[in-house]
Amino acid sequence: MPANDPLTLMTVHAHPDDETIGTGGAMAKAIRDGHRVVLVTCTRGEQGEIVVKDLDTPDNHRRLGEIRAGELEAAMADLGVTEWENLGYRDSDMMGRPGNNDPRTFWQADLDEATGRLVWLVRRHRPQVMTTYNEFGGYGHPDHIRTHDVAVRAFERAGDPAWYPKQLAPEHGGTGPVEAEGGLAPWQPLKLYEQAIPASVRLAMKERLEAVGEKSPWSEPEGASDEELEQWRAAMARMLVPDESITTWVDVSDVVDRKWSAIGKHVTQMSPDNFFLRFGLDGWREFWSKEAYILRESRIPTSPPESDLFAGIEPGSATAAPAPAASAAG
């Protein structure tokens, strides 16, 4: 990799709007600092809700994937991101709903095949840094869980020529087309992060909402049975990421206005009374001036706590994984 090539961040998300909520600040900051950002969404959010009453029509639900793709393009313009890829799966709705059984959904996809699609993108775009969700998907959505499953495997497999050799050029030990005709080389990203909303931020928002007489997603449900309350508390325990587990705090205060503008472009998903938007730009400056990440894997020495996803990576320091001996091409 030439030393003057920009470092690349690849953020892997489930649906349009997730990119801004979870990593919008880091993406905008990376672009501002001269890095390259590639956004990957695994679905187009076809089975999401439409939160604006006037837009909540059968016709808009029929073409919701197209609408959300347009919203995503507008949000990316605010963040300064120009590269977007999609894995091509259908939104998986929620667990227990009929839509979750659709064979076209991401949740129903073959895990190795889905990973292969992302591996191809990693090998093509050659990021040094990747981000995903934790194993609970942040809040238990099937598409978020599957995004974690696929991203973790892609990080491990993209640099291994034994995986998906049909993607690789013969020059790099593969059985695919030559490099001049689109064959790829193995590529090992250097760092994999899980995005997180720390417990301190969630609890601060909960207290602020309850102070004005409103419920938050983290307020105990009223009228719940003992069993339902126990299930809710178990889910909360998985959602609340302890602050001490955060390895990387990225200060995005100087680009938070871009992040706020971008989230506003996701009109069908973000109503003004959504808890993320409830306190306006001032609330984002208070609660979202930093983005939190947990360094899950690193192929270089690191020294947490970090303040930059690219910490420890110098231009030219990342290279393609070495090709295997010809007999190992498979």
Side-chain angles (χ1 to χ4, degrees):
M1 175 181 173
N4 59 351
D5 281 359
L7 297 177
T8 299
L9 167 66
M10 175 178 282
T11 63
V12 186
H13 289 281
H15 318 102
D17 79 2
D18 293 326
E19 83 295 331
T20 302
I21 294 170
T23 60
M27 293 164 74
K29 186 180 176 103
I31 293 292
R32 185 206 60 192
D33 292 345
H35 302 311
R36 179 181 174 220
V37 174
V38 178
L39 166 64
V40 178
T41 55
C42 299
T43 81
R44 292 176 181 260
E46 297 91 337
Q47 299 197 71
E49 297 177 344
I50 297 179
V51 299
V52 179
K53 184 177 180 180
D54 290 345
L55 298 177
D56 190 10
T57 66
D59 184 60
N60 280 346
H61 277 283
R62 178 184 59 79
R63 59 188 191 93
L64 185 54
E66 175 186 344
I67 293 171
R68 294 189 71 177
E71 293 175 344
L72 179 60
E73 292 281 0
M76 288 198 308
D78 286 337
L79 298 175
V81 178
T82 59
E83 297 183 75
W84 169 44
E85 300 280 8
N86 186 270
L87 284 195
Y89 293 103
R90 183 172 173 79
D91 184 333
S92 303
D93 200 0
M94 297 296 286
M95 298 291 197
R97 295 183 183 175
N100 190 244
N101 298 319
D102 189 323
R104 299 170 295 174
T105 64
F106 193 30
W107 184 250
Q108 299 295 337
D110 179 87
L111 189 54
D112 285 338
E113 178 188 8
T115 300
R117 295 188 188 192
L118 185 56
V119 165
W120 188 84
L121 292 174
V122 172
R123 289 170 171 173
R124 180 181 177 213
H125 293 293
R126 309 202 303 177
Q128 287 75 34
V129 179
M130 295 176 63
T131 74
T132 186
Y133 314 122
N134 64 18
E135 62 183 7
F136 189 52
Y139 70 107
H141 192 293
D143 283 329
H144 285 240
I145 294 171
R146 186 60 80 234
T147 297
H148 164 89
D149 296 340
V150 166
V152 168
R153 285 167 174 79
F155 180 86
E156 295 291 338
R157 296 178 182 180
D160 184 348
W163 281 102
Y164 314 110
K166 290 182 180 180
Q167 298 179 1
L168 303 175
E171 304 98 299
H172 301 291
T175 58
V178 297
E179 194 166 11
E181 297 177 2
L184 301 175
W187 180 261
Q188 178 58 61
L190 298 179
K191 300 170 84 175
L192 175 65
Y193 288 94
E194 295 175 351
Q195 66 184 62
I197 299 178
S200 61
V201 174
R202 292 186 188 268
L203 294 175
M205 289 189 64
K206 171 182 178 291
E207 292 172 1
R208 174 69 69 83
L209 286 163
E210 290 179 347
V212 296
E214 299 178 14
K215 288 288 185 181
S216 81
W218 309 291
S219 301
E220 285 199 354
E222 295 179 354
S225 67
D226 290 344
E227 181 180 356
E228 290 170 338
L229 197 56
E230 183 178 349
Q231 292 175 348
W232 179 85
R233 287 172 177 164
M236 286 301 103
R238 299 187 72 182
M239 287 177 61
L240 292 174
V241 179
D243 284 45
E244 56 267 26
S245 69
I246 303 300
T247 64
T248 311
W249 297 88
V250 180
D251 185 348
V252 299
S253 57
D254 55 349
V255 293
V256 75
D257 56 333
R258 294 188 188 182
K259 183 170 177 172
W260 170 258
S261 179
I263 199 63
K265 298 301 191 296
H266 291 287
V267 177
T268 58
Q269 304 300 304
M270 289 286 163
S271 64
D273 59 354
N274 183 287
F275 69 94
F276 276 119
L277 309 183
R278 174 65 180 79
F279 299 109
L281 178 56
D282 287 342
W284 276 49
R285 288 172 175 152
E286 178 180 355
F287 297 115
W288 309 113
S289 62
K290 290 184 178 180
E291 288 180 352
Y293 298 86
I294 298 171
L295 181 60
R296 177 187 172 94
E297 298 282 349
S298 182
R299 301 303 172 92
I300 59 172
T302 60
S303 299
E306 302 172 320
S307 59
D308 183 359
L309 299 182
F310 291 104
I313 304 175
E314 297 296 333
S317 64
T319 61
S327 61

